[in-house]
Amino acid sequence: MTDRKKINLPYLFQKVQDKEPISWLTCYDYPTAYLQDEAGVEMILVGDSLGMTMLGFDSTLPVTMDDMIRHASAVRRGAPTAFVVGDMPYMTYQPSNELAVKNAGRFMAEAGCDAIKLEGGVAMAPRIKAIVEAGIPAIGHLGLTPQSVAALGGFRLQGKSAGLAKKIVDDAKALQEAGAFAILLELVPDRLCKLITEQAEDCIIMSLGSGPDAHGQLLIYHDMFGLYPKFKPKMAKVFGNAGEVILNGLKQYVSEVKSVAFPEKENYFGMSDAEFDELSKMVKK
Ligand code: KIV
């Protein structure tokens, strides 16, 4: 395990000060969290995208708080150093401030998260405020917000026109005033992301498919390694085709089982002649 120091809020704000972009990835399980921590990934998002990437749903909407807690605590165990963010699932914060605080608290107390993220702008600013007042660091999420994908008209670029972009600028201001320490901008034009980043005060702006001018970048882990079979968004860069490597390995396994090339001597254990003779006598009819 790494002997790096635990990443905290002062560390992240120092990176902004130093103009050193922050690395952020989604993660949902213990072994991947271990690898991400070892690689030096600074922030991890246990996203409700796990509904699609891990559970095979067509959207994030069926994901529950219990699903999130189970996955977030596994990630925390695998990644003791990274700054772990729990993503609040659909309808676990929208209905009221009280529900939002209660569920945000579960991420902290039950899963050991460092912060939570929720989707939405002006309308969700009171939720952010209530969560922050409860002592929980909160991140806002604007632009393409998957929980509202039906209302947004699909997985597509947001804030393309000046009018729509201005609304996102206003949303970002509202979230900052409410106390969000960071805002994720997903799939908005690069110039809009740059503008919001330049105007941000005491708020870390992160980009997912929104260009290079934010304080850091987020990617969906499954997209960057070819692990999501249904589609690959344009914004994702493939850093290695693990999906192909695994598929080839699986095909080879099936073939080796059929041809009895597997298992080999080193894959199983023997028994001494004396013990086996003894056993044979014991089971003889
Ligand atoms: O759930 C998630 O992984 C997310 C990303 C799409 C930002 O919210």
Side-chain angles (χ1 to χ4, degrees), residues 26 45 47-49 87 117 119 141 146 184 186 208 218 220:
T26 61
L45 173 66
D48 65 350
S49 51
D87 198 15
K117 172 177 90 57
E119 299 181 8
H141 179 173
L184 171 67
E186 179 173 351
L208 171 56
L218 170 66
I220 308 288

Side-chain angles (χ1 to χ4, degrees), residues 10-219:
Y11 170 100
L12 296 175
F13 279 100
Q14 189 58 49
K15 294 291 136 184
V16 172
Q17 203 74 31
D18 298 343
K19 299 198 183 316
E20 184 186 323
I22 297 164
S23 54
W24 193 12
L25 283 181
T26 61
C27 182
Y28 319 100
D29 62 81
Y30 171 83
T32 311
Y34 175 82
L35 293 176
Q36 292 193 9
D37 217 38
E38 283 292 300
V41 173
E42 292 157 303
M43 291 176 70
I44 288 178
L45 173 66
V46 186
D48 65 350
S49 51
L50 69 82
M52 299 169 78
T53 54
M54 301 296 285
L55 305 178
F57 293 117
D58 285 332
S59 79
T60 59
L61 304 192
V63 175
T64 65
M65 260 321 281
D66 286 345
D67 291 333
M68 294 304 299
I69 295 295
R70 172 56 68 105
H71 285 268
S73 50
V75 167
R76 176 78 288 166
R77 288 190 286 276
T81 305
F83 190 91
V84 174
V85 181
D87 198 15
M88 300 196 64
Y90 187 56
M91 287 303 148
T92 65
Y93 58 95
Q94 288 95 338
S96 71
N97 287 353
E98 289 69 25
L99 189 65
V101 172
K102 179 172 166 278
N103 284 320
R106 286 193 64 191
F107 274 114
M108 308 301 280
E110 295 176 40
C113 286
D114 297 298
I116 62 86
K117 172 177 90 57
L118 58 80
E119 299 181 8
V122 171
M124 289 299 120
R127 306 289 178 271
I128 292 275
K129 188 164 187 289
I131 290 168
V132 171
E133 281 174 355
I136 299 170
I139 301 179
H141 179 173
L142 297 173
L144 176 63
T145 44
Q147 290 174 16
S148 322
V149 76
L152 297 175
F155 289 93
R156 58 158 79 136
L157 184 68
Q158 301 296 310
K160 243 165 106 173
S161 68
L164 292 172
K166 171 69 168 55
K167 190 179 168 309
I168 295 175
V169 171
D170 293 343
D171 282 336
K173 281 207 180 103
L175 294 180
Q176 287 175 64
E177 280 163 20
F181 80 88
I183 295 173
L184 171 67
L185 295 177
E186 179 173 351
L187 213 54
V188 305
D190 56 350
R191 298 175 88 176
L192 173 58
C193 179
K194 184 165 192 276
L195 184 88
I196 292 174
T197 305
E198 283 167 356
Q199 290 187 352
E201 282 172 29
D202 289 331
C203 188
I204 301 170
I205 308 298
M206 299 295 290
S207 160
L208 171 56
S210 302
D213 296 309
H215 298 125
Q217 297 292 323
L218 170 66
L219 264 187

